[in-house]
């Protein structure tokens, strides 16, 4: 079966819409980041931008923490930002703010809304018909969200931070995405799985993917997403075409047991090699 062509950050690079993954994002923005920090596409994709993990130290204490971050608040925050974890490119530090900024920048490059960009580049070509960032479209089919104590909680609205995790999807749709990655990560988008920085002996970062390197076990790519009402996780080995996808409606924020889902995902990946 013919596979859809390359998409996303790798596609932007291949089409020469940017000269390099090390190119600065500033020329594509309609606002200035304080101190004109020379942030690049790669630094945002591999979490070496030096931007803080989240918007503030108390952001996750709110039930819908990103809702108020419209254009004015989002760009205003980056325009006056005075707190950096490190100089850009210096070290790894996971940053939701950085991922949000990357999503915003890609929208500017393509001159598309986030929903339209995803639909044209990923959802429609892969026939992911039940995936969207528009909650109203699938409200009647959406599984209710619960916090880690088992109480109903609100769905999060991501505002201009939608690149951090606004996608609503299903296991069936994500399986299509995983299957597409089997070929893309071995072909046109091979650069997306290459290690860009090591976090420690068993963990490294590619572009958008983490690389886990368990001792005496097969390395694989993975990523997770967490909100107050849901947790999602995907692991993928494009070399051997194996994948695990977990979606749960038990909130991950402040959940002392949330790492159990990570361990379940890794354990399930191990069984695929037995």
């Amino acid at each position: 079966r013919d596979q859809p062509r390359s998409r996303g950050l790798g596609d932007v690079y291949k089409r020469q819409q940017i000269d390099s993954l090390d190119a600065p994002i500033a020329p594509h923005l309609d606002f200035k980041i304080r101190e004109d920090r020379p942030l690049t596409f790669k630094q945002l994709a591999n979490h070496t931008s030096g931007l803080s993990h989240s918007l503030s130290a108390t952001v996750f204490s709110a039930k819908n923490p990103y809702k108020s971050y419209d254009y004015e608040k989002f760009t205003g925050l980056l325009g006056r930002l005075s707190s950096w974890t490190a100089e850009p490119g210096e070290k790894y530090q996971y940053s939701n703010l950085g991922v949000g900024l990357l999503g915003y920048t890609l929208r500017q490059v393509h001159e598309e809304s986030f929903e339209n960009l995803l639909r044209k580049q990923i959802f429609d070509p892969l026939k992911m018909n039940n995936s969207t960032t528009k909650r109203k479209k699938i409200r009647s089919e959406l599984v209710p969200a619960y916090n880690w104590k088992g109480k109903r909680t609100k769905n999060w609205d991501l505002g201009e931070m939608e690149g951090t995790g606004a996608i609503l999807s299903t296991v069936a749709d994500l399986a299509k995405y995983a299957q597409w990655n089997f070929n893309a990560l071995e072909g046109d988008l091979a650069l997306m799985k290459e290690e860009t920085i090591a976090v420690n002996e068993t963990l490294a970062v590619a572009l958008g993917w983490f690389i886990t390197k368990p001792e005496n076990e097969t390395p694989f790519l993975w990523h997770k997403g967490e909100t107050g009402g849901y947790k999602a996780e995907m692991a993928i080995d494009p070399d051997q075409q194996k994948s695990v996808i977990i979606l749960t409606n038990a909130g991950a924020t402040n959940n002392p047991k949330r790492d159990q889902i990570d361990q379940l995902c890794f354990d399930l990946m191990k069984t695929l090699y037995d």
Side-chain angles (χ1 to χ4, degrees), residues 53 60 66 94 96 156 164-165 224-233 250-255 258-259 261-262:
H53 170 52
F60 289 121
Y66 295 114
Y94 190 90
N96 275 332
W156 283 10
T164 63
K224 63 182 176 180
E226 303 175 345
T227 70
Y230 304 99
K231 179 162 181 170
E233 192 138 0
T253 303
N254 299 323
N255 187 344
R258 63 182 180 179
D259 291 342
I261 298 296
D262 301 344

Side-chain angles (χ1 to χ4, degrees), residues 21-266:
L21 294 176
D22 293 311
I25 65 170
H28 303 283
L29 299 179
D30 55 356
F31 67 95
K32 282 192 174 184
I33 297 173
R34 184 175 178 176
E35 301 175 7
D36 287 328
R37 297 257 176 159
L39 300 180
T40 70
F41 287 89
K42 180 184 286 187
Q43 289 165 358
L44 294 177
N46 72 357
H47 301 281
T48 60
S49 65
L51 290 167
S52 60
H53 170 52
S54 197
L55 305 178
S56 72
T58 59
V59 67
F60 289 121
S61 63
K63 291 184 178 180
N64 199 353
Y66 295 114
K67 184 176 182 179
S68 64
Y69 278 82
D70 56 12
Y71 174 83
E72 296 297 331
K73 193 167 183 178
F74 175 70
T75 58
L77 170 70
L78 289 162
R80 65 177 184 276
L81 197 65
S82 59
S83 176
W84 298 75
T85 62
E87 290 298 313
E90 186 176 276
K91 68 177 185 178
Y92 164 81
Q93 169 62 61
Y94 190 90
S95 175
N96 275 332
L97 183 56
V99 175
L101 179 57
L102 178 59
Y104 181 89
T105 306
L106 290 176
R107 284 163 43 200
Q108 294 294 108
V109 171
H110 286 279
E111 298 182 337
E112 291 274 8
S113 69
F114 194 53
E115 172 73 11
N116 287 346
L117 183 59
L118 288 167
R119 189 148 301 286
K120 290 180 179 180
Q121 300 281 353
I122 299 175
F123 297 159
D124 287 349
L126 298 185
K127 294 181 171 50
M128 296 173 63
N129 300 325
N130 294 304
S131 298
T132 183
T133 64
K134 302 299 183 182
R135 194 165 65 245
K136 289 182 179 180
K137 288 185 176 181
I138 45 87
R139 187 182 299 277
S140 63
E141 302 170 54
L142 186 62
V143 175
Y146 294 88
N147 66 21
W148 71 275
K149 294 181 179 180
K151 295 183 178 181
R152 284 287 296 270
T153 188
K154 292 183 178 180
N155 296 106
W156 283 10
D157 300 288
L158 278 295
E160 292 293 344
M161 288 283 288
E162 57 191 348
T164 63
I167 297 173
L168 298 161
S169 191
T170 65
V171 170
D173 271 11
L174 291 176
K176 296 175 182 177
Y177 181 69
Q179 186 174 33
W180 171 76
N181 270 279
F182 291 156
N183 296 288
L185 292 174
E186 291 299 299
D188 291 346
L189 294 188
L191 80 166
M192 300 291 287
K193 68 172 186 175
E194 295 175 3
E195 180 176 327
T196 62
I197 187 170
V199 179
N200 52 47
E201 292 183 356
T202 61
L203 182 66
V205 190
L207 294 172
W209 289 104
F210 288 98
I211 307 169
T212 185
K213 300 181 286 185
E215 186 176 357
N216 301 321
E217 294 176 14
T218 305
F220 55 84
L221 306 173
W222 66 279
H223 208 295
K224 63 182 176 180
E226 303 175 345
T227 70
Y230 304 99
K231 179 162 181 170
E233 192 138 0
M234 175 184 283
I236 182 171
D237 180 350
D239 297 328
Q240 299 194 40
Q241 299 199 347
K242 301 176 185 294
S243 181
V244 169
I245 300 163
I246 298 175
L247 301 180
T248 174
N249 61 334
T253 303
N254 299 323
N255 187 344
K257 297 182 179 181
R258 63 182 180 179
D259 291 342
Q260 291 181 3
I261 298 296
D262 301 344
Q263 190 59 54
L264 174 62
C265 182
F266 295 165

